[in-house]
PDB file of all heavy atoms in Angstrom:
ATOM      1  N   TYR A 137     -15.556 -16.594  14.879  1.00 42.00           N
ATOM      2  CA  TYR A 137     -15.651 -15.719  16.041  1.00 42.00           C
ATOM      3  C   TYR A 137     -16.715 -16.207  17.016  1.00 42.00           C
ATOM      4  O   TYR A 137     -16.603 -15.976  18.218  1.00 42.00           O
ATOM      5  CB  TYR A 137     -15.946 -14.279  15.623  1.00 42.00           C
ATOM      6  CG  TYR A 137     -15.863 -13.318  16.785  1.00 42.00           C
ATOM      7  CD1 TYR A 137     -14.633 -13.013  17.357  1.00 42.00           C
ATOM      8  CD2 TYR A 137     -17.007 -12.761  17.346  1.00 42.00           C
ATOM      9  CE1 TYR A 137     -14.532 -12.165  18.442  1.00 42.00           C
ATOM     10  CE2 TYR A 137     -16.922 -11.902  18.430  1.00 42.00           C
ATOM     11  CZ  TYR A 137     -15.676 -11.598  18.968  1.00 42.00           C
ATOM     12  OH  TYR A 137     -15.599 -10.764  20.047  1.00 42.00           O
ATOM     13  N   HIS A 138     -17.735 -16.907  16.511  1.00 50.00           N
ATOM     14  CA  HIS A 138     -18.783 -17.382  17.404  1.00 50.00           C
ATOM     15  C   HIS A 138     -18.230 -18.352  18.439  1.00 50.00           C
ATOM     16  O   HIS A 138     -18.807 -18.507  19.513  1.00 50.00           O
ATOM     17  CB  HIS A 138     -19.897 -18.044  16.595  1.00 50.00           C
ATOM     18  CG  HIS A 138     -20.531 -17.105  15.608  1.00 50.00           C
ATOM     19  ND1 HIS A 138     -20.752 -17.456  14.302  1.00 50.00           N
ATOM     20  CD2 HIS A 138     -20.972 -15.831  15.740  1.00 50.00           C
ATOM     21  CE1 HIS A 138     -21.304 -16.433  13.666  1.00 50.00           C
ATOM     22  NE2 HIS A 138     -21.446 -15.445  14.514  1.00 50.00           N
ATOM     23  N   SER A 139     -17.112 -19.022  18.142  1.00 60.00           N
ATOM     24  CA  SER A 139     -16.509 -19.918  19.118  1.00 60.00           C
ATOM     25  C   SER A 139     -15.950 -19.127  20.297  1.00 60.00           C
ATOM     26  O   SER A 139     -15.945 -19.612  21.431  1.00 60.00           O
ATOM     27  CB  SER A 139     -15.406 -20.760  18.479  1.00 60.00           C
ATOM     28  OG  SER A 139     -14.338 -19.941  18.030  1.00 60.00           O
ATOM     29  N   LYS A 140     -15.467 -17.914  20.043  1.00 72.00           N
ATOM     30  CA  LYS A 140     -14.992 -17.060  21.130  1.00 72.00           C
ATOM     31  C   LYS A 140     -16.169 -16.591  21.979  1.00 72.00           C
ATOM     32  O   LYS A 140     -16.106 -16.566  23.202  1.00 72.00           O
ATOM     33  CB  LYS A 140     -14.220 -15.862  20.569  1.00 72.00           C
ATOM     34  CG  LYS A 140     -12.905 -16.215  19.877  1.00 72.00           C
ATOM     35  CD  LYS A 140     -12.241 -14.968  19.324  1.00 72.00           C
ATOM     36  CE  LYS A 140     -10.927 -15.286  18.623  1.00 72.00           C
ATOM     37  NZ  LYS A 140      -9.864 -15.711  19.532  1.00 72.00           N
ATOM     38  N   VAL A 141     -17.259 -16.201  21.317  1.00 85.00           N
ATOM     39  CA  VAL A 141     -18.442 -15.737  22.024  1.00 85.00           C
ATOM     40  C   VAL A 141     -19.075 -16.870  22.831  1.00 85.00           C
ATOM     41  O   VAL A 141     -19.792 -16.640  23.800  1.00 85.00           O
ATOM     42  CB  VAL A 141     -19.457 -15.136  21.038  1.00 85.00           C
ATOM     43  CG1 VAL A 141     -20.722 -14.670  21.738  1.00 85.00           C
ATOM     44  CG2 VAL A 141     -18.828 -13.954  20.294  1.00 85.00           C
ATOM     45  N   GLY A 142     -18.780 -18.124  22.449  1.00 89.00           N
ATOM     46  CA  GLY A 142     -19.313 -19.268  23.176  1.00 89.00           C
ATOM     47  C   GLY A 142     -18.955 -19.250  24.651  1.00 89.00           C
ATOM     48  O   GLY A 142     -19.719 -19.743  25.490  1.00 89.00           O
ATOM     49  N   ALA A 143     -17.814 -18.685  25.010  1.00 93.00           N
ATOM     50  CA  ALA A 143     -17.432 -18.584  26.416  1.00 93.00           C
ATOM     51  C   ALA A 143     -18.410 -17.699  27.175  1.00 93.00           C
ATOM     52  O   ALA A 143     -18.751 -17.963  28.335  1.00 93.00           O
ATOM     53  CB  ALA A 143     -16.013 -18.029  26.538  1.00 93.00           C
ATOM     54  N   VAL A 144     -18.880 -16.626  26.515  1.00 94.00           N
ATOM     55  CA  VAL A 144     -19.859 -15.739  27.137  1.00 94.00           C
ATOM     56  C   VAL A 144     -21.183 -16.468  27.324  1.00 94.00           C
ATOM     57  O   VAL A 144     -21.818 -16.388  28.391  1.00 94.00           O
ATOM     58  CB  VAL A 144     -20.074 -14.468  26.287  1.00 94.00           C
ATOM     59  CG1 VAL A 144     -21.070 -13.539  26.957  1.00 94.00           C
ATOM     60  CG2 VAL A 144     -18.755 -13.761  26.033  1.00 94.00           C
ATOM     61  N   GLU A 145     -21.621 -17.180  26.284  1.00 94.00           N
ATOM     62  CA  GLU A 145     -22.897 -17.893  26.369  1.00 94.00           C
ATOM     63  C   GLU A 145     -22.870 -18.924  27.489  1.00 94.00           C
ATOM     64  O   GLU A 145     -23.838 -19.065  28.249  1.00 94.00           O
ATOM     65  CB  GLU A 145     -23.217 -18.561  25.040  1.00 94.00           C
ATOM     66  CG  GLU A 145     -24.581 -19.227  25.014  1.00 94.00           C
ATOM     67  CD  GLU A 145     -25.011 -19.657  23.618  1.00 94.00           C
ATOM     68  OE1 GLU A 145     -24.240 -19.420  22.665  1.00 94.00           O
ATOM     69  OE2 GLU A 145     -26.113 -20.204  23.495  1.00 94.00           O
ATOM     70  N   LEU A 146     -21.787 -19.646  27.623  1.00 95.00           N
ATOM     71  CA  LEU A 146     -21.673 -20.654  28.667  1.00 95.00           C
ATOM     72  C   LEU A 146     -21.763 -20.008  30.056  1.00 95.00           C
ATOM     73  O   LEU A 146     -22.433 -20.531  30.958  1.00 95.00           O
ATOM     74  CB  LEU A 146     -20.358 -21.410  28.515  1.00 95.00           C
ATOM     75  CG  LEU A 146     -20.179 -22.699  29.307  1.00 95.00           C
ATOM     76  CD1 LEU A 146     -21.271 -23.710  28.977  1.00 95.00           C
ATOM     77  CD2 LEU A 146     -18.807 -23.301  29.034  1.00 95.00           C
ATOM     78  N   CYS A 147     -21.115 -18.867  30.218  1.00 96.00           N
ATOM     79  CA  CYS A 147     -21.179 -18.161  31.502  1.00 96.00           C
ATOM     80  C   CYS A 147     -22.590 -17.643  31.784  1.00 96.00           C
ATOM     81  O   CYS A 147     -23.087 -17.748  32.912  1.00 96.00           O
ATOM     82  CB  CYS A 147     -20.177 -17.009  31.514  1.00 96.00           C
ATOM     83  SG  CYS A 147     -18.449 -17.522  31.674  1.00 96.00           S
ATOM     84  N   LEU A 148     -23.248 -17.085  30.761  1.00 96.00           N
ATOM     85  CA  LEU A 148     -24.603 -16.588  30.960  1.00 96.00           C
ATOM     86  C   LEU A 148     -25.551 -17.719  31.340  1.00 96.00           C
ATOM     87  O   LEU A 148     -26.470 -17.528  32.154  1.00 96.00           O
ATOM     88  CB  LEU A 148     -25.104 -15.892  29.697  1.00 96.00           C
ATOM     89  CG  LEU A 148     -24.454 -14.554  29.347  1.00 96.00           C
ATOM     90  CD1 LEU A 148     -24.983 -14.037  28.009  1.00 96.00           C
ATOM     91  CD2 LEU A 148     -24.696 -13.519  30.444  1.00 96.00           C
ATOM     92  N   ASN A 149     -25.361 -18.892  30.764  1.00 95.00           N
ATOM     93  CA  ASN A 149     -26.206 -20.040  31.104  1.00 95.00           C
ATOM     94  C   ASN A 149     -26.059 -20.463  32.556  1.00 95.00           C
ATOM     95  O   ASN A 149     -26.954 -21.106  33.112  1.00 95.00           O
ATOM     96  CB  ASN A 149     -25.865 -21.228  30.207  1.00 95.00           C
ATOM     97  CG  ASN A 149     -26.506 -21.140  28.840  1.00 95.00           C
ATOM     98  OD1 ASN A 149     -27.332 -20.272  28.580  1.00 95.00           O
ATOM     99  ND2 ASN A 149     -26.129 -22.044  27.955  1.00 95.00           N
ATOM    100  N   HIS A 150     -24.943 -20.116  33.167  1.00 97.00           N
ATOM    101  CA  HIS A 150     -24.666 -20.535  34.540  1.00 97.00           C
ATOM    102  C   HIS A 150     -24.703 -19.356  35.517  1.00 97.00           C
ATOM    103  O   HIS A 150     -24.209 -19.486  36.637  1.00 97.00           O
ATOM    104  CB  HIS A 150     -23.298 -21.213  34.613  1.00 97.00           C
ATOM    105  CG  HIS A 150     -23.246 -22.569  33.972  1.00 97.00           C
ATOM    106  ND1 HIS A 150     -23.251 -22.755  32.614  1.00 97.00           N
ATOM    107  CD2 HIS A 150     -23.217 -23.824  34.521  1.00 97.00           C
ATOM    108  CE1 HIS A 150     -23.203 -24.054  32.338  1.00 97.00           C
ATOM    109  NE2 HIS A 150     -23.180 -24.711  33.471  1.00 97.00           N
ATOM    110  N   LEU A 151     -25.267 -18.253  35.117  1.00 96.00           N
ATOM    111  CA  LEU A 151     -25.238 -17.056  35.956  1.00 96.00           C
ATOM    112  C   LEU A 151     -26.606 -16.759  36.552  1.00 96.00           C
ATOM    113  O   LEU A 151     -27.612 -16.758  35.845  1.00 96.00           O
ATOM    114  CB  LEU A 151     -24.754 -15.850  35.141  1.00 96.00           C
ATOM    115  CG  LEU A 151     -24.484 -14.578  35.936  1.00 96.00           C
ATOM    116  CD1 LEU A 151     -23.233 -13.883  35.408  1.00 96.00           C
ATOM    117  CD2 LEU A 151     -25.655 -13.616  35.874  1.00 96.00           C
ATOM    118  N   VAL A 152     -26.630 -16.536  37.862  1.00 94.00           N
ATOM    119  CA  VAL A 152     -27.844 -16.090  38.544  1.00 94.00           C
ATOM    120  C   VAL A 152     -27.596 -14.674  39.054  1.00 94.00           C
ATOM    121  O   VAL A 152     -26.513 -14.353  39.546  1.00 94.00           O
ATOM    122  CB  VAL A 152     -28.243 -17.033  39.698  1.00 94.00           C
ATOM    123  CG1 VAL A 152     -28.826 -18.312  39.167  1.00 94.00           C
ATOM    124  CG2 VAL A 152     -27.069 -17.327  40.610  1.00 94.00           C
ATOM    125  N   ASP A 153     -28.591 -13.820  38.904  1.00 93.00           N
ATOM    126  CA  ASP A 153     -28.410 -12.411  39.202  1.00 93.00           C
ATOM    127  C   ASP A 153     -29.647 -11.863  39.877  1.00 93.00           C
ATOM    128  O   ASP A 153     -30.743 -12.392  39.730  1.00 93.00           O
ATOM    129  CB  ASP A 153     -28.127 -11.629  37.917  1.00 93.00           C
ATOM    130  CG  ASP A 153     -29.139 -11.933  36.828  1.00 93.00           C
ATOM    131  OD1 ASP A 153     -29.217 -13.105  36.412  1.00 93.00           O
ATOM    132  OD2 ASP A 153     -29.867 -11.021  36.419  1.00 93.00           O
ATOM    133  N   GLY A 154     -29.445 -10.777  40.614  1.00 87.00           N
ATOM    134  CA  GLY A 154     -30.525 -10.142  41.339  1.00 87.00           C
ATOM    135  C   GLY A 154     -30.926  -8.817  40.713  1.00 87.00           C
ATOM    136  O   GLY A 154     -30.333  -8.362  39.733  1.00 87.00           O
ATOM    137  N   PRO A 155     -31.932  -8.150  41.284  1.00 85.00           N
ATOM    138  CA  PRO A 155     -32.481  -6.928  40.678  1.00 85.00           C
ATOM    139  C   PRO A 155     -31.545  -5.732  40.674  1.00 85.00           C
ATOM    140  O   PRO A 155     -31.717  -4.819  39.885  1.00 85.00           O
ATOM    141  CB  PRO A 155     -33.729  -6.644  41.530  1.00 85.00           C
ATOM    142  CG  PRO A 155     -33.483  -7.365  42.823  1.00 85.00           C
ATOM    143  CD  PRO A 155     -32.688  -8.578  42.470  1.00 85.00           C
ATOM    144  N   ASP A 156     -30.553  -5.700  41.544  1.00 91.00           N
ATOM    145  CA  ASP A 156     -29.609  -4.576  41.564  1.00 91.00           C
ATOM    146  C   ASP A 156     -28.256  -4.977  41.003  1.00 91.00           C
ATOM    147  O   ASP A 156     -27.245  -4.334  41.257  1.00 91.00           O
ATOM    148  CB  ASP A 156     -29.467  -4.002  42.976  1.00 91.00           C
ATOM    149  CG  ASP A 156     -28.995  -5.053  43.971  1.00 91.00           C
ATOM    150  OD1 ASP A 156     -29.087  -6.252  43.659  1.00 91.00           O
ATOM    151  OD2 ASP A 156     -28.533  -4.659  45.066  1.00 91.00           O
ATOM    152  N   GLU A 157     -28.245  -6.071  40.241  1.00 96.00           N
ATOM    153  CA  GLU A 157     -27.023  -6.576  39.628  1.00 96.00           C
ATOM    154  C   GLU A 157     -27.201  -6.625  38.116  1.00 96.00           C
ATOM    155  O   GLU A 157     -28.242  -7.076  37.628  1.00 96.00           O
ATOM    156  CB  GLU A 157     -26.711  -7.985  40.160  1.00 96.00           C
ATOM    157  CG  GLU A 157     -26.521  -8.029  41.666  1.00 96.00           C
ATOM    158  CD  GLU A 157     -26.469  -9.451  42.204  1.00 96.00           C
ATOM    159  OE1 GLU A 157     -26.954 -10.385  41.521  1.00 96.00           O
ATOM    160  OE2 GLU A 157     -25.939  -9.619  43.321  1.00 96.00           O
ATOM    161  N   TYR A 158     -26.195  -6.172  37.409  1.00 97.00           N
ATOM    162  CA  TYR A 158     -26.296  -6.062  35.950  1.00 97.00           C
ATOM    163  C   TYR A 158     -25.133  -6.763  35.272  1.00 97.00           C
ATOM    164  O   TYR A 158     -23.974  -6.619  35.682  1.00 97.00           O
ATOM    165  CB  TYR A 158     -26.278  -4.592  35.517  1.00 97.00           C
ATOM    166  CG  TYR A 158     -27.563  -3.848  35.763  1.00 97.00           C
ATOM    167  CD1 TYR A 158     -27.864  -3.341  37.018  1.00 97.00           C
ATOM    168  CD2 TYR A 158     -28.480  -3.653  34.730  1.00 97.00           C
ATOM    169  CE1 TYR A 158     -29.054  -2.654  37.244  1.00 97.00           C
ATOM    170  CE2 TYR A 158     -29.664  -2.964  34.939  1.00 97.00           C
ATOM    171  CZ  TYR A 158     -29.943  -2.469  36.193  1.00 97.00           C
ATOM    172  OH  TYR A 158     -31.122  -1.794  36.404  1.00 97.00           O
ATOM    173  N   VAL A 159     -25.460  -7.515  34.235  1.00 98.00           N
ATOM    174  CA  VAL A 159     -24.464  -7.994  33.283  1.00 98.00           C
ATOM    175  C   VAL A 159     -24.806  -7.333  31.950  1.00 98.00           C
ATOM    176  O   VAL A 159     -25.879  -7.568  31.385  1.00 98.00           O
ATOM    177  CB  VAL A 159     -24.493  -9.529  33.140  1.00 98.00           C
ATOM    178  CG1 VAL A 159     -23.470  -9.975  32.097  1.00 98.00           C
ATOM    179  CG2 VAL A 159     -24.217 -10.191  34.482  1.00 98.00           C
ATOM    180  N   VAL A 160     -23.933  -6.468  31.469  1.00 98.00           N
ATOM    181  CA  VAL A 160     -24.176  -5.683  30.259  1.00 98.00           C
ATOM    182  C   VAL A 160     -23.226  -6.172  29.177  1.00 98.00           C
ATOM    183  O   VAL A 160     -22.002  -6.121  29.340  1.00 98.00           O
ATOM    184  CB  VAL A 160     -23.959  -4.176  30.507  1.00 98.00           C
ATOM    185  CG1 VAL A 160     -24.231  -3.380  29.229  1.00 98.00           C
ATOM    186  CG2 VAL A 160     -24.860  -3.692  31.643  1.00 98.00           C
ATOM    187  N   VAL A 161     -23.800  -6.674  28.066  1.00 97.00           N
ATOM    188  CA  VAL A 161     -23.001  -7.276  27.007  1.00 97.00           C
ATOM    189  C   VAL A 161     -23.099  -6.428  25.746  1.00 97.00           C
ATOM    190  O   VAL A 161     -24.185  -6.191  25.220  1.00 97.00           O
ATOM    191  CB  VAL A 161     -23.464  -8.721  26.703  1.00 97.00           C
ATOM    192  CG1 VAL A 161     -22.572  -9.351  25.636  1.00 97.00           C
ATOM    193  CG2 VAL A 161     -23.449  -9.564  27.982  1.00 97.00           C
ATOM    194  N   ASP A 162     -21.951  -5.973  25.277  1.00 96.00           N
ATOM    195  CA  ASP A 162     -21.852  -5.278  23.991  1.00 96.00           C
ATOM    196  C   ASP A 162     -21.679  -6.357  22.930  1.00 96.00           C
ATOM    197  O   ASP A 162     -20.617  -6.954  22.791  1.00 96.00           O
ATOM    198  CB  ASP A 162     -20.662  -4.322  24.010  1.00 96.00           C
ATOM    199  CG  ASP A 162     -20.525  -3.523  22.722  1.00 96.00           C
ATOM    200  OD1 ASP A 162     -21.513  -3.441  21.965  1.00 96.00           O
ATOM    201  OD2 ASP A 162     -19.424  -2.998  22.476  1.00 96.00           O
ATOM    202  N   MET A 163     -22.759  -6.621  22.174  1.00 92.00           N
ATOM    203  CA  MET A 163     -22.795  -7.747  21.239  1.00 92.00           C
ATOM    204  C   MET A 163     -22.150  -7.384  19.908  1.00 92.00           C
ATOM    205  O   MET A 163     -21.958  -6.210  19.585  1.00 92.00           O
ATOM    206  CB  MET A 163     -24.239  -8.181  21.017  1.00 92.00           C
ATOM    207  CG  MET A 163     -24.957  -8.627  22.284  1.00 92.00           C
ATOM    208  SD  MET A 163     -24.512 -10.288  22.787  1.00 92.00           S
ATOM    209  CE  MET A 163     -25.579 -11.224  21.687  1.00 92.00           C
ATOM    210  N   THR A 164     -21.875  -8.413  19.118  1.00 83.00           N
ATOM    211  CA  THR A 164     -21.354  -8.183  17.782  1.00 83.00           C
ATOM    212  C   THR A 164     -22.407  -7.502  16.922  1.00 83.00           C
ATOM    213  O   THR A 164     -23.612  -7.645  17.169  1.00 83.00           O
ATOM    214  CB  THR A 164     -20.900  -9.506  17.140  1.00 83.00           C
ATOM    215  OG1 THR A 164     -20.170  -9.242  15.960  1.00 83.00           O
ATOM    216  CG2 THR A 164     -22.070 -10.416  16.831  1.00 83.00           C
TER     217      THR A 164
END
Side-chain angles (χ1 to χ4, degrees):
Y137 188 70
H138 300 133
S139 64
K140 293 178 180 291
V141 179
V144 181
E145 185 169 359
L146 193 58
C147 286
L148 290 176
N149 280 352
H150 289 74
L151 188 140
V152 286
D153 50 298
D156 58 343
E157 300 169 339
Y158 285 81
V159 178
V160 180
V161 183
D162 182 18
M163 300 282 279
T164 191

